């Protein structure tokens, strides 16, 4: 693990600038650091087969087959245009099937294909391995508390982002 400064940021190489206090004291900066580290871990552990958002979509469709694309976007924290593009790409790869109901030609209902089920099963074990590595420093009760707090924080920040 890299040396850390007292603020918990990675130590800069000699002569390189370090993050100023205005950043290290900002929760958004720390969240971005967490997310960057998570993306790197995802890439190394889960691999290039599925991105995190693709995995989230497939996992959600698995437990809610036939859900509509718009509702799914909300469930997996994607905006509707990103969701539409992601679903189209998963469909092009043969992992997802989008069906248009006769009653509403604008809606797209999502279903996993057999190949999508296989890709999800393959990625699921590695995603669980990553989760275990990320939470390894915490006892089970602390893990539950951490996840509750992260969920509450995400819920609060999502509400703030929609306030006028």
């Amino acid at each position: 693990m890299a040396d850390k400064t007292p603020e918990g940021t990675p130590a800069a190489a000699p002569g390189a600038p370090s993050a100023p206090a205005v950043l290290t004291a900002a929760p958004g900066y720390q969240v971005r650091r967490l997310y960057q580290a998570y993306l790197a871990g995802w890439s190394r552990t889960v691999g290039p087969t599925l991105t995190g958002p693709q995995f989230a979509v497939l996992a959600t469709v698995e437990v809610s087959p036939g859900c509509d694309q718009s509702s799914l976007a909300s469930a997996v924290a994607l905006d509707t245009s990103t969701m539409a593009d992601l679903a189209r790409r998963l469909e092009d790869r043969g992992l997802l099937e989008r069906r248009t109901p006769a009653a509403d030609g604008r809606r797209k209902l999502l279903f996993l294909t057999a190949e999508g089920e296989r890709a999800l099963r393959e990625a699921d074990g590695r995603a669980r391995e990553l989760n275990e590595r990320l939470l390894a420093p915490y006892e089970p009760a602390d893990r539950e508390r951490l996840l509750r707090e992260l969920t509450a924080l995400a819920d609060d920040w999502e509400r703030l982002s929609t306030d006028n």
Side-chain angles (χ1 to χ4, degrees):
M1 183 177 269
D3 291 337
K4 302 287 184 182
T5 64
E7 294 83 21
T9 57
S18 60
V22 68
L23 293 180
T24 60
Y29 173 75
Q30 300 301 351
V31 168
R32 189 183 66 73
R33 286 184 55 226
L34 282 168
Y35 187 62
Q36 289 300 115
Y38 176 76
L39 289 176
W42 181 275
S43 180
R44 281 191 310 274
T45 306
V46 182
T49 305
L50 293 175
T51 65
Q54 290 170 339
F55 178 84
V57 167
L58 294 180
T60 305
V61 170
E62 180 183 47
V63 298
S64 300
C67 60
D68 71 273
Q69 194 169 286
S70 181
S71 298
L72 186 78
S74 178
V76 298
L78 293 173
D79 61 75
T80 55
S81 62
T82 300
M83 179 67 225
D85 183 54
L86 193 148
R88 190 173 16 264
R89 284 184 279 128
L90 289 171
E91 184 179 43
D92 290 347
R93 289 178 56 196
L95 303 178
L96 194 67
E97 181 182 345
R98 296 187 307 159
R99 299 179 193 159
T100 304
D104 185 352
R106 295 173 298 167
R107 289 181 72 208
K108 301 291 184 207
L109 306 180
L110 305 176
F111 299 88
L112 286 182
T113 64
E115 183 63 20
E117 290 173 2
R118 187 202 59 74
L120 181 60
R121 273 193 312 276
E122 183 180 305
D124 184 61
R126 293 191 307 268
R128 289 176 191 265
E129 176 187 329
L130 175 60
N131 289 342
E132 186 59 35
R133 286 177 51 212
L134 293 172
L135 296 172
Y138 301 94
E139 295 296 326
D142 293 333
R143 290 177 183 193
E144 290 177 24
R145 181 185 51 77
L146 175 64
L147 289 173
R148 278 193 314 272
E149 289 177 7
L150 287 171
T151 300
L153 184 63
D155 291 345
D156 288 344
W157 285 19
E158 284 175 345
R159 273 191 294 277
L160 287 172
S161 71
T162 60
D163 286 349
N164 291 327

